[in-house]
């Protein structure tokens, strides 16, 4: 599917950088081939790896999904006031860079799309938080408190799963 808009005057989209395009495209679910200004983007998901090519430069991320059930009825009913059709089953997705190619110094938190909230850790987190209108803050409510707890649990599980097993040092001297 393509949408083309004809403008009265030719407009150059020079406010996009490769970093901003990567940030925008990282968590897209359905779009796979996109042109944004001078950037040609291809998104491929295969065997738990998301590959994003921007003008043939590749970025790869291991995708780790964490499914959980929202069992806090107060949080669920609070969220349903804002968003119809919310289900008890929710996902937190982590995008772990492969080969230290993050594309950005400070990754941002995602809630479907990128927010303005920097995470300060070298992985991308996509969690179903309720945000303010400007996408600059996570709202303080029961839903987000529940999601935050699930995020901490999922992050701990992710770190443990990625941890490399320790090898015994060859320089140990046994007495």
């Amino acid at each position: 599917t393509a949408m083309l808009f004809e403008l009265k005057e030719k407009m150059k989209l020079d406010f996009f950088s490769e970093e901003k395009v990567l940030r925008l495209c990282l968590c897209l679910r359905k779009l796979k081939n996109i042109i944004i200004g001078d950037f040609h983007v291809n998104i491929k998901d295969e065997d738990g790896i998301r590959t994003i090519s921007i003008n043939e430069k590749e970025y790869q991320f291991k995708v780790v999904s964490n499914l959980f059930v929202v069992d806090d009825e107060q949080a669920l009913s609070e969220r349903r006031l804002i968003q119809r059709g919310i289900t008890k089953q929710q996902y937190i997705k982590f995008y772990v860079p492969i080969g230290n190619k993050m594309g950005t110094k400070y990754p941002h938190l995602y809630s479907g799309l990128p927010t303005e909230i920097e995470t300060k850790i070298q992985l991308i987190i996509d969690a179903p938080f309720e945000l303010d209108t400007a996408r600059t803050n996570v709202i303080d409510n029961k839903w987000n408190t529940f999601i935050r707890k699930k995020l901490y649990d999922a992050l701990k599980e992710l770190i443990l799963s990625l941890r490399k097993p320790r090898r015994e040092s060859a320089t140990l001297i046994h007495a």
Side-chain angles (χ1 to χ4, degrees):
T1 304
M3 292 192 311
L4 300 173
F5 295 96
E6 295 268 338
L7 301 174
K8 290 180 183 177
E9 296 179 27
K10 190 77 171 164
M11 185 173 136
K12 178 137 172 76
L13 298 175
D14 59 356
F15 54 89
F16 278 109
S17 65
E18 186 172 314
E19 179 182 331
K20 287 180 183 177
V21 169
L22 177 62
R23 190 173 150 210
L24 176 66
C25 295
L26 187 64
C27 292
L28 293 177
R29 289 171 176 76
K30 304 228 184 237
L31 297 173
K32 299 297 179 183
N33 292 297
I34 309 162
I35 298 173
I36 302 172
D38 294 331
F39 297 98
H40 296 262
V41 182
N42 180 275
I43 302 168
K44 183 173 71 172
D45 293 307
E46 194 172 285
D47 298 326
I49 304 293
R50 170 157 281 201
T51 303
I52 300 175
S53 300
I54 303 174
N55 293 343
E56 299 184 23
K57 182 176 179 183
E58 284 194 352
Y59 296 88
Q60 287 192 314
F61 299 85
K62 177 179 181 169
V63 182
V64 180
S65 294
N66 184 284
L67 172 67
F68 64 93
V69 175
V70 179
D71 55 7
D72 182 329
E73 288 301 323
Q74 283 185 320
L76 205 52
S77 58
E78 178 184 85
R79 182 69 173 156
R80 284 182 174 144
L81 291 173
I82 306 299
Q83 182 179 348
R84 281 191 239 150
I86 198 80
T87 64
K88 287 185 173 192
Q89 286 193 339
Q90 296 290 316
Y91 284 93
I92 295 173
K93 285 195 174 190
F94 297 102
Y95 296 83
V96 182
I98 296 173
N100 294 327
K101 278 176 92 175
M102 178 59 94
T104 183
K105 185 175 180 181
Y106 295 115
H108 290 75
L109 176 69
Y110 284 67
S111 186
L113 289 170
T115 68
E116 292 300 316
I117 304 162
E118 291 182 347
T119 62
K120 307 283 189 203
I121 57 176
Q122 291 299 300
L123 62 96
I124 305 293
I125 300 168
D126 186 5
F129 285 112
E130 184 178 347
L131 306 169
D132 65 7
T133 308
R135 301 181 66 80
T136 56
N137 289 303
V138 172
I139 296 172
D140 186 21
N141 62 21
K142 289 182 185 301
W143 174 265
N144 286 337
T145 299
F146 185 87
I147 299 301
R148 193 175 290 113
K149 287 177 187 171
K150 291 296 183 180
L151 173 60
Y152 293 143
D153 293 343
L155 188 55
K156 186 170 90 175
E157 191 177 310
L158 174 71
I159 290 168
L160 290 174
S161 74
L162 295 175
R163 187 175 68 183
K164 294 178 182 171
R166 290 185 188 174
R167 292 185 343 192
E168 287 194 11
S169 173
T171 58
L172 283 178
I173 300 173
H174 299 281

